[in-house]
């Protein structure tokens, strides 16, 4: 398992980190996640299974662990969120072959188990809100945060068709056009606020998957700190008792 995890992290760094280094300086939007919000995690899981799993795997995360952590009964999760007949104890994989994915998209879509730990939640949130229509691209869209992106805008039916907001900037007599943001045409299934919440939910879910034990670790950490405080007080009182007659 550890060997697979290390191989996965290496593969993710090969596919993802160079793109991060080469990306433009775009201000990141604040995701404002809360991985203790189970309803949000449940909505995010539904979005991932319906819109992302066809291309992106989570090969280090199991369905059963996910359902248990985010409060989805196993029977409901198996019925509504497992579409390929996998067992509930299986890892979250898809059937796409890497060779075919590389042919279709230019590179195999990376595994997303640890994407939030590598890129950060704000990056994911900003990326999902930064697609815009660009007919020159193979899938008809581009991304202000990740230019020349090879991924289609899979959430377009929810958001609607996004277009770029541009402004012309003149420096030293040269005028260039800069993209300052995006706006939707309103044809999506969700309103602007609803789409924003959907993206937050999906980002929240990806952050949880990156570190499923974080809430448990934080709770345990508080208990350990409390124990150390009590131990320090007892040790200090014992020290005073031992040294009382010496002085």
């Amino acid at each position: 398992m550890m060997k697979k995890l290390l191989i996965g992290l290496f593969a993710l760094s090969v596919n993802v980190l160079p793109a991060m280094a080469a990306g433009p300086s775009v201000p990141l939007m604040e995701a404002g996640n809360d991985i203790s919000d189970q309803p949000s995690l449940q909505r995010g899981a539904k979005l991932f299974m319906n819109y992302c799993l066809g291309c992106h795997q989570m090969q280090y995360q199991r369905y059963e662990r996910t359902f248990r952590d985010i409060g989805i009964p196993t029977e409901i999760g198996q019925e509504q969120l497992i579409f390929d007949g996998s067992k509930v104890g299986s890892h979250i994989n898809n059937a796409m072959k890497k060779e075919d994915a590389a042919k279709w998209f230019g590179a195999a879509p990376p595994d997303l188990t640890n994407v939030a730990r590598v890129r950060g939640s704000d990056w994911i949130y900003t990326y999902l809100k930064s697609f815009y229509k660009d007919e020159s691209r193979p899938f008809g869209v581009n991304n202000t945060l990740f230019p020349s992106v090879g991924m289609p805008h899979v959430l377009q039916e929810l958001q609607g068709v996004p277009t770029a907001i541009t402004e012309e900037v003149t420096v030293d007599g040269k005028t260039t056009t800069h993209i300052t943001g995006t706006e939707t045409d309103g044809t999506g299934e969700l309103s602007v606020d609803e789409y924003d919440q959907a993206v937050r939910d999906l980002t929240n879910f990806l952050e949880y998957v990156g570190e499923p034990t974080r809430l448990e670790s934080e709770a345990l950490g508080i208990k350990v700190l409390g124990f150390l405080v009590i131990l320090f007080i007892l040790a200090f009182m014992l020290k005073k008792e031992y040294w009382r007659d010496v002085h």
Side-chain angles (χ1 to χ4, degrees), residues 9-20:
L9 287 172
F10 174 76
L12 186 63
S13 67
V14 170
N15 286 283
V16 172
L17 293 180
M20 290 178 64

Side-chain angles (χ1 to χ4, degrees), residues 198-212:
V199 172
R200 289 183 190 277
D201 293 337
L202 180 54
T203 304
N204 203 21
F205 177 69
L206 291 173
E207 182 173 348
Y208 147 73
V209 172
E211 197 173 359

Side-chain angles (χ1 to χ4, degrees), residues 168-176:
E168 293 186 348
V169 178
T170 302
V171 178
D172 297 331
K174 296 181 178 180
T175 301
T176 57

Side-chain angles (χ1 to χ4, degrees), residues 134-210:
D134 183 351
E135 298 293 350
S136 67
R137 299 296 303 155
F139 292 103
V141 292
N142 211 328
N143 192 285
T144 59
L145 184 62
F146 197 148
S148 301
V149 65
M151 170 181 160
H153 184 21
V154 295
L155 302 179
Q156 183 167 303
E157 69 176 45
L158 301 180
Q159 183 187 21
V161 179
T163 55
I165 302 173
T166 62
E167 68 175 6
E168 293 186 348
V169 178
T170 302
V171 178
D172 297 331
K174 296 181 178 180
T175 301
T176 57
T177 301
H178 291 270
I179 298 175
T180 60
T182 62
E183 60 183 359
T184 180
D185 65 353
T187 60
E189 296 177 7
L190 304 179
S191 66
V192 173
D193 290 340
E194 289 171 340
Y195 179 74
D196 180 72
Q197 184 59 55
V199 172
R200 289 183 190 277
D201 293 337
L202 180 54
T203 304
N204 203 21
F205 177 69
L206 291 173
E207 182 173 348
Y208 147 73
V209 172

Side-chain angles (χ1 to χ4, degrees), residues 71 100 113 203:
D100 292 337
T113 313
T203 304

Side-chain angles (χ1 to χ4, degrees), residues 221-241:
I222 293 174
K223 293 177 181 178
V224 170
L225 289 175
F227 170 77
L228 292 176
V229 169
I230 295 174
L231 182 63
F232 172 79
I233 294 173
L234 293 176
F236 181 75
M237 294 174 64
L238 184 61
K239 176 260 183 186
K240 289 187 64 177
E241 182 65 24

